[in-house]
Amino acid sequence: MKDVAARAGVGLKTVSRVVNGEAGVTPDTERRVQEAIDSLGFRRNDSARVLRKGRTASVGLVLEDLADPFYGPLSRAVEEVARAHGALLINGSSAEDPDRERELALALCARRVDGLIVIPAGSDHRYLEPEMKAGVATVFVDRPAGRIDADTVLSDSFGGARAGVAHLIAHGHRRIGFIGDQPRIHTATERLRGYRAAMEDAGLAIEDSWVSLGPTDPERVRDAVTAMVSGPEPVTAVFAGNNRVTVTAVRALAGRRHPVALVGFDDIELADLLGITVIAQDAAALGRTAAERLFRRLDGADEAPARVVLETTLIPRGSGEIAPPS
């Protein structure tokens, strides 16, 4: 900074004001300082700045799986909000492992991020209580926190699944299968609850063989689809509990002599071209809402933890409108 000040012919305070974007510097002086910075290759020492201000201008995002297309727009939205607040986003994947989630979240806290956005894999987040008390703003997204009170931003998984199954019922289906994620996952249980509610609303009984929960790997989902659509009294429609299940279900149902209706939770790439009816949630809105909530906390908002639920949208494209065999 002394070199920059000498080259620009100004004082250290003026250089500090320009570097930190503070007022009180004329355009001509700011130009001279910036030219000196560019010429000398000056870079602000962020480590010293952290010690002085107590903030790192960085936030952490703990995702389930960085490779999952659903999390792309969510992460991008968080990054855009962070950038607008002059902060850097650091993210990582828990791989749906509670221990890895805890390890990653605490590693980010150890690196003194100002705040955390967490898509939880576990069901007990009391390990974050000391960090939150120490000032690390924390928001949970897509799924609620377990055993602590914290800001949460969710999609309406229950209402979306209920609407999707009701849509199949409205098109004449009475034997409807549900294939979802692992039962310990909040979104999986909420979507199953929505399925059961829609069937109950219509006065329809559910056979045990119509419901399958578990890992979303293709082999497990393909076997579940095949079992449901086979036999003397197969289901005539399937509700897929998330995007990965939907993709495998589309492949498993392709080319069947008697088409099976399908509605999936989450939109998927090429769904419009393939004619896949979906319950779409706005991943970008989830990320943006969670990030805005986080920076409200960082800016000093002192209020009770809030639970924000975003609506889903039914998009009919053909697969959910197939009538059952006569």
Short mmCIF file of all heavy atoms in Angstrom, two decimals, residues 11 48 61 102 111 133 161 177 181 185 235 249 252 283 303:
data_model
loop_
_atom_site.label_atom_id
_atom_site.label_comp_id
_atom_site.label_asym_id
_atom_site.label_seq_id
_atom_site.Cartn_x
_atom_site.Cartn_y
_atom_site.Cartn_z
N GLY A 11 -2.06 9.61 0.16
CA GLY A 11 -1.79 9.01 1.46
C GLY A 11 -2.30 7.58 1.54
O GLY A 11 -3.10 7.13 0.72
N ALA A 48 -5.14 -10.37 6.53
CA ALA A 48 -5.06 -9.25 7.46
C ALA A 48 -6.42 -8.58 7.62
O ALA A 48 -6.80 -8.14 8.70
CB ALA A 48 -4.03 -8.23 6.95
N LEU A 61 -21.45 -23.86 1.15
CA LEU A 61 -22.66 -24.55 0.69
C LEU A 61 -22.39 -26.04 0.70
O LEU A 61 -21.49 -26.53 0.00
CB LEU A 61 -23.03 -24.09 -0.73
CG LEU A 61 -24.17 -24.84 -1.43
CD1 LEU A 61 -25.47 -24.74 -0.64
CD2 LEU A 61 -24.36 -24.30 -2.86
N ARG A 102 -21.31 -33.71 8.22
CA ARG A 102 -20.79 -33.09 9.44
C ARG A 102 -19.32 -32.68 9.26
O ARG A 102 -18.93 -31.56 9.62
CB ARG A 102 -20.92 -34.09 10.60
CG ARG A 102 -20.30 -33.62 11.91
CD ARG A 102 -20.32 -34.74 12.94
NE ARG A 102 -19.67 -34.32 14.16
CZ ARG A 102 -20.26 -34.26 15.36
NH1 ARG A 102 -21.52 -34.58 15.48
NH2 ARG A 102 -19.58 -33.88 16.42
N ARG A 111 -12.51 -23.00 8.64
CA ARG A 111 -11.90 -22.03 7.74
C ARG A 111 -12.57 -20.67 7.83
O ARG A 111 -12.37 -19.80 7.00
CB ARG A 111 -11.93 -22.58 6.30
CG ARG A 111 -10.86 -23.64 6.09
CD ARG A 111 -11.17 -24.56 4.93
NE ARG A 111 -10.09 -25.53 4.73
CZ ARG A 111 -9.90 -26.60 5.48
NH1 ARG A 111 -10.71 -26.84 6.50
NH2 ARG A 111 -8.90 -27.43 5.24
N LYS A 133 -23.81 -20.35 17.63
CA LYS A 133 -23.70 -19.44 18.77
C LYS A 133 -22.48 -18.53 18.64
O LYS A 133 -22.47 -17.41 19.15
CB LYS A 133 -23.61 -20.25 20.07
CG LYS A 133 -24.93 -20.91 20.47
CD LYS A 133 -24.78 -21.74 21.73
CE LYS A 133 -26.11 -22.39 22.11
NZ LYS A 133 -25.97 -23.28 23.30
N ALA A 161 -46.50 -33.73 -4.60
CA ALA A 161 -46.78 -35.14 -4.84
C ALA A 161 -48.29 -35.39 -4.84
O ALA A 161 -48.80 -36.15 -5.67
CB ALA A 161 -46.10 -36.00 -3.79
N GLY A 177 -48.45 -46.71 -8.74
CA GLY A 177 -47.27 -47.05 -7.96
C GLY A 177 -46.48 -45.81 -7.56
O GLY A 177 -46.52 -44.78 -8.23
N ASP A 181 -37.13 -42.18 -2.83
CA ASP A 181 -35.77 -42.25 -2.27
C ASP A 181 -35.82 -42.96 -0.92
O ASP A 181 -36.85 -43.49 -0.50
CB ASP A 181 -35.21 -40.83 -2.14
CG ASP A 181 -33.70 -40.78 -2.28
OD1 ASP A 181 -33.04 -41.77 -1.91
OD2 ASP A 181 -33.19 -39.75 -2.75
N ILE A 185 -34.96 -39.83 4.36
CA ILE A 185 -34.84 -38.51 3.75
C ILE A 185 -36.18 -37.79 3.81
O ILE A 185 -37.21 -38.33 3.41
CB ILE A 185 -34.34 -38.64 2.30
CG1 ILE A 185 -32.94 -39.26 2.27
CG2 ILE A 185 -34.34 -37.28 1.61
CD1 ILE A 185 -32.43 -39.56 0.88
N VAL A 235 -49.80 -52.11 -11.93
CA VAL A 235 -50.20 -50.70 -11.85
C VAL A 235 -50.31 -50.15 -13.27
O VAL A 235 -49.66 -50.64 -14.20
CB VAL A 235 -49.18 -49.86 -11.03
CG1 VAL A 235 -49.07 -50.39 -9.61
CG2 VAL A 235 -47.81 -49.83 -11.71
N ALA A 249 -37.08 -44.63 -14.62
CA ALA A 249 -38.43 -45.09 -14.94
C ALA A 249 -38.74 -44.91 -16.42
O ALA A 249 -39.36 -45.78 -17.05
CB ALA A 249 -39.46 -44.35 -14.09
N ALA A 252 -37.06 -47.72 -18.17
CA ALA A 252 -37.67 -49.02 -17.87
C ALA A 252 -39.02 -49.19 -18.57
O ALA A 252 -39.42 -50.32 -18.91
CB ALA A 252 -37.85 -49.18 -16.37
N ALA A 283 -35.48 -24.82 -8.35
CA ALA A 283 -34.23 -24.97 -7.61
C ALA A 283 -33.51 -23.64 -7.44
O ALA A 283 -32.92 -23.38 -6.39
CB ALA A 283 -33.32 -25.98 -8.32
N GLU A 303 -34.15 -12.23 14.43
CA GLU A 303 -35.54 -12.67 14.43
C GLU A 303 -35.59 -14.17 14.59
O GLU A 303 -34.57 -14.86 14.43
CB GLU A 303 -36.23 -12.24 13.13
CG GLU A 303 -35.49 -12.68 11.89
CD GLU A 303 -35.89 -11.91 10.65
OE1 GLU A 303 -36.36 -10.76 10.79
OE2 GLU A 303 -35.74 -12.46 9.55
#
